[in-house]
């Protein structure tokens, strides 16, 4: 068991995902039992989340661009060579940009799946407190409304005839994945935790794993650290569903698709 002094050193490393797997377990166990360290962690997490949520506010001025251009011209041995060099660089950038975008999009999607799995593990271990605790979808939706840059409303099928209701909502919290706001929702099904993460599809695009298409939606199935992950994109939002449940994809997806009409869309999803 680590000491409070060691835990204080590990807090920033934990927030930056720089701890080894065995260190994560030790740290989360200590955090669960130590209220003082839990408070320090929450204070620093709040600061880090606010910093990560900030957007770049500075744009270079025309004068700055002029000075940089003058420096380049001053160091060029030949004006013609400089023009050809600049043109070549611009062409290379234009050619490389689509490939770089695809590569970064793939890396971001893969990393988001890892982030979702890690968030689920930390919540299941008691190291991720919920910002709002409620079993009422309307209450959680109201809490998210002023805090998210995108519109997201939790479905509520409780009063709908024939609705599937094998799960229960525990609460939610606001997370930051890189510079992206993420809604984290905690559910339980068969007395096991389920995590649902929601982000803007403009910032996060699901990819990888085995892909199954149904009703015009591509569902991506993968696994990470013994967990089952399903990611998909629908109506401008990206979703990541994480659990260790041994059920079919359709059974786990009733969290968002519990109405009779929606269940018909996902009933062909595999195990």
């Amino acid at each position: 068991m680590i000491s409070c002094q060691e835990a204080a050193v590990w807090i920033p490393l934990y927030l930056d995902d720089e701890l080894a797997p065995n260190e994560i377990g030790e740290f989360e166990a200590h955090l669960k039992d130590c209220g003082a360290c839990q408070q320090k962690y929450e204070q620093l997490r709040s600061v880090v989340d606010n910093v990560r949520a900030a957007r770049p506010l500075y744009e270079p001025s025309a004068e700055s661009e002029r000075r940089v251009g003058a420096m380049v011209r001053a160091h060029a041995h030949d004006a013609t060579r400089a023009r050809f060099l600049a043109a070549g660089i611009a062409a290379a950038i234009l050619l490389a940009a689509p490939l770089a975008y695809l590569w970064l999009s793939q890396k971001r999607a893969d990393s988001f799946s890892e982030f979702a799995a890690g968030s689920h593990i930390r919540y299941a271990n008691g190291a991720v407190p919920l910002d709002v605790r409620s079993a009422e979808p309307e209450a959680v939706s109201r809490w998210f409304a002023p805090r998210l840059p995108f519109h997201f409303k939790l479905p509520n099928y409780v009063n709908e005839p024939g609705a599937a209701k094998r799960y229960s909502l525990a609460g939610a919290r606001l997370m930051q994945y890189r510079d992206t706001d993420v809604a984290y929702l905690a559910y339980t099904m068969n007395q096991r935790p389920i995590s649902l993460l929601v982000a803007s599809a403009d910032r996060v695009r699901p990819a990888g794993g085995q892909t199954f298409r149904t009703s015009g939606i591509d569902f991506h199935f993968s696994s990470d650290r013994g967990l089952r992950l399903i990611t998909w994109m629908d109506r401008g939002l990206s979703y990541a569903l994480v659990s260790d449940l041994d059920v079919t994809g359709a059974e786990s997806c009733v969290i968002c698709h519990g109405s009779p009409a929606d269940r018909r869309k996902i009933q062909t999803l595999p195990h």
Side-chain angles (χ1 to χ4, degrees):
M1 194 72 173
I2 63 173
S3 64
C4 290
Q5 186 176 2
E6 290 174 307
V9 175
W10 284 10
I11 287 175
L13 299 177
Y14 180 81
L15 288 170
D16 290 335
D17 292 326
E18 294 181 1
L19 290 179
N22 62 310
E23 293 173 334
I24 291 176
E26 291 185 63
F27 176 78
E28 291 177 347
H30 177 85
L31 211 63
K32 188 176 181 180
D33 296 332
C34 181
C37 288
Q38 176 73 40
Q39 185 177 5
K40 291 179 182 178
Y41 163 75
E42 286 300 324
Q43 290 173 344
L44 184 57
R45 183 188 69 85
S46 178
V47 174
V48 170
D49 284 353
N50 288 332
V51 171
R52 288 174 177 170
R55 300 295 189 270
L57 300 178
Y58 177 79
E59 292 291 339
S61 65
E63 178 63 19
S64 297
E65 293 181 354
R66 187 192 65 77
R67 290 180 180 178
V68 171
M71 291 173 61
V72 172
R73 288 191 295 273
H75 287 81
H77 296 294
D78 185 275
T80 303
R81 180 185 174 192
R83 284 195 296 271
F84 277 117
L85 180 61
I89 292 174
I93 291 174
L94 289 174
L95 290 172
L99 295 176
Y101 174 79
L102 290 174
W103 182 80
L104 288 173
S105 297
Q106 179 67 40
K107 292 296 288 182
R108 178 176 289 269
D110 292 344
S111 298
F112 184 67
S113 295
E114 295 174 3
F115 173 78
S119 300
H120 176 85
I121 291 173
R122 288 192 286 274
Y123 170 73
N125 290 338
V128 176
L130 299 176
D131 292 328
V132 56
R133 290 185 175 275
S134 175
E136 298 298 327
E138 295 90 348
V140 175
S141 295
R142 285 196 302 270
W143 185 87
F144 271 129
R147 294 173 171 84
L148 291 174
F150 53 86
H151 177 69
F152 172 65
K153 183 178 180 180
L154 279 172
N156 185 5
Y157 305 118
V158 175
N159 298 320
E160 185 172 344
K165 190 65 171 65
R166 295 179 53 202
Y167 63 90
S168 60
L169 176 65
R173 69 174 285 129
L174 185 64
M175 287 186 168
Q176 288 290 320
Y177 166 64
R178 297 183 181 177
D179 60 348
T180 302
D181 293 304
V182 177
Y184 175 87
L185 298 118
Y187 293 87
T188 58
M189 179 185 286
N190 299 338
Q191 299 183 336
R192 300 296 303 163
I194 297 179
S195 296
L196 177 67
L197 287 79
V198 187
S200 171
D202 292 335
R203 311 292 299 177
V204 178
R205 301 184 71 86
Q210 291 182 290
T211 303
F212 297 89
R213 186 172 182 81
T214 178
S215 299
I217 300 176
D218 290 327
F219 290 85
H220 305 270
F221 288 71
S222 60
S223 60
D224 185 356
R225 286 168 278 185
L227 299 171
R228 293 170 175 80
L229 287 88
I230 307 176
T231 58
W232 70 98
M233 186 173 66
D234 186 26
R235 299 175 186 176
L237 297 178
S238 290
Y239 299 83
L241 184 67
V242 190
S243 75
D244 61 358
L245 292 170
D246 187 21
V247 297
T248 64
E251 286 179 294
S252 56
C253 287
V254 296
I255 284 177
C256 289
H257 303 280
S259 70
D262 276 349
R263 290 208 309 276
R264 287 192 292 270
K265 297 179 181 179
I266 61 174
Q267 61 187 358
T268 58
L269 287 178
H271 194 282

